[in-house]
């Protein structure tokens, strides 16, 4: 038993080492990614369910590393968050997404709201409001065309401070949405006091509305909750016609998901919008 124990321990140590090395590799590559211009944004449409029109777009970060290949956000966002690298990366995302939205606007595309994900670290930066104001001023994007996606986890530490910050952000004229709604631990009471415009129903609920009546009940309840509070509601991760029909029947405002389009490069997205507008 002793021998087995030691072997297990060695195996454990070795795999820990490999994991730590992999982390270090990604971390040092991540430090260089911005200057080497390895990041790119992909864009996923958000459609109005009643009209079928594309009314919004979410910017999603992609990292193309020469050796590691396409690294998924799931693999590097957490690390970027821990190391603080998410702050300059997030600033790049904000600037690039806003400039893209303005360019599409100028090119004659129908006006779209550009949604950008905001991480906890960014939310904690003392100059957050100023830096977003600066991006709006530099790019010329109307504030109403920018939406910030926040998660419930940002609010748990210091609720009063979070409320004050949200009001400051609202003061700029941008829209605020709660991402992954229903997966966090925070209380529902914040919904009344926070100046929020949109709830995004997490795709873990949406994915099961056809088969699981409990999940379907949760989705219906979130839509009712949002509407009672005068909020818009977006379902994310919509993959099937059945899900679309269910969401339409229950008065969901907007949808986003592979059923309509995967996140795509900017050029492809512009073509998608043009096609949508002329349909
Ligand atoms: P998220 O904000 O919840 O973004 C939605 C994720 O769901 C995206 O994954 C998107 O590609 C994926 N998705 C969209 N439609 C469907 C669908 O129909 N089915 C399925 N299975 N998935 C769908 P992605 O792009 O891999 O991003 C993962 C997460 O990484 C995001 O989740 C977000 O939390 C984070 N992330 C991505 N870009 C940024 C960014 O610029 N800044 C920050 N802070 N986080 C980001
Ligand atoms: Ca999001
Ligand atoms: Ca989400
Ligand atoms: Ca998510």
């Amino acid at each position: 038993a002793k021998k087995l124990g030691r072997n297990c321990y060695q195996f454990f140590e070795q795999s820990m080492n490999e994991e730590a090395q992999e982390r270090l590799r990604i971390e040092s590559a991540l430090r260089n990614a911005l200057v080497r211009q390895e990041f790119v944004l992909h864009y996923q449409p958000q459609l109005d369910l009643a009209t079928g029109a594309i009314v919004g777009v979410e910017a999603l970060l992609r990292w193309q590393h020469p050796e590691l290949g396409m690294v998924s956000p799931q693999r590097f966002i957490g690390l970027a968050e821990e190391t603080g690298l998410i702050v300059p990366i997030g600033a790049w995302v904000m600037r690039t997404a806003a400039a893209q939205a303005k360019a599409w606007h100028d090119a004659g595309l129908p006006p779209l709201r550009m949604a950008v994900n905001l991480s906890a670290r960014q939310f904690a930066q003392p100059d957050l409001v100023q830096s977003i104001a600066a991006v709006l001023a530099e790019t010329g994007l109307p504030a109403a065309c920018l939406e910030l996606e926040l998660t419930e986890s940002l609010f748990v530490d210091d609720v009063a401070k979070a409320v004050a910050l949200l009001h400051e952000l609202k003061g700029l004229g941008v829209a605020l949405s709660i991402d992954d709604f229903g997966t966090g631990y925070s209380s529902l009471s914040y919904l009344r006091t926070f100046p929020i415009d949109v709830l995004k129903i997490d795709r873990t609920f949406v994915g099961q509305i056809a088969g699981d009546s409990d999940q379907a009940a949760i989705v219906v309840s979130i839509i009712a909750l949002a509407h009672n509070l005068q909020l818009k509601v977006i379902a994310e991760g919509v993959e099937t016609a059945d899900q679309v029909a269910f969401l339409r029947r229950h008065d969901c405002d907007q949808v986003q998901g592979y059923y309509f389009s995967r996140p795509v490069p900017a050029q492809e997205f512009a073509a998608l919008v043009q096609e949508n507008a002329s349909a």
Side-chain angles (χ1 to χ4, degrees), residues 12 19 45 56 62 84 115 121 132 136 138 154 171 199 217 230 258:
F12 179 69
E19 212 180 288
R62 298 289 178 261
R121 275 287 185 111
I132 292 171
L136 292 171
E138 279 163 30
L154 303 186
L199 293 186
Q230 258 74 255
Y258 293 169

Side-chain angles (χ1 to χ4, degrees), residues 18 25 35 37 39 100 112 135 142 181 188-189 205 208:
E18 276 167 24
R25 236 157 59 96
V35 279
Q37 303 188 311
F39 289 120
Q100 184 59 259
L112 301 173
V135 165
F181 184 75
L188 289 179
S189 63
F205 301 120
Q208 295 178 56

Side-chain angles (χ1 to χ4, degrees), residues 152 155 159 163 181 185-196 225 229:
E152 293 161 280
F155 311 144
V159 178
V163 175
F181 184 75
Y185 295 102
S186 55
S187 116
L188 289 179
S189 63
Y190 75 79
L191 285 176
R192 279 186 305 116
T193 47
F194 284 21
I196 285 155
L225 174 71
L229 294 168

Side-chain angles (χ1 to χ4, degrees), residues 234-261:
I234 304 183
E236 52 177 10
V238 177
E239 294 182 349
T240 70
D242 283 351
Q243 291 165 358
V244 176
F246 180 94
L247 292 162
R248 184 174 283 131
R249 209 160 56 237
H250 289 95
D251 231 12
C252 184
D253 300 298
Q254 291 173 27
V255 281
Q256 177 182 351
Y258 293 169
Y259 182 72
F260 304 98
S261 171

Side-chain angles (χ1 to χ4, degrees), residues 211-226:
D212 184 328
S213 62
D214 288 344
Q215 303 286 33
I218 290 175
V219 169
V220 172
S221 306
I222 295 176
I223 295 170
L225 174 71

Side-chain angles (χ1 to χ4, degrees), residues 58 117 149 151 178-181 200-203 236:
E58 180 174 0
N117 293 285
E149 295 198 358
T151 54
I178 305 293
D179 202 357
D180 305 340
F181 184 75
K200 295 191 77 178
I201 308 176
D202 191 70
R203 70 176 143 91
E236 52 177 10

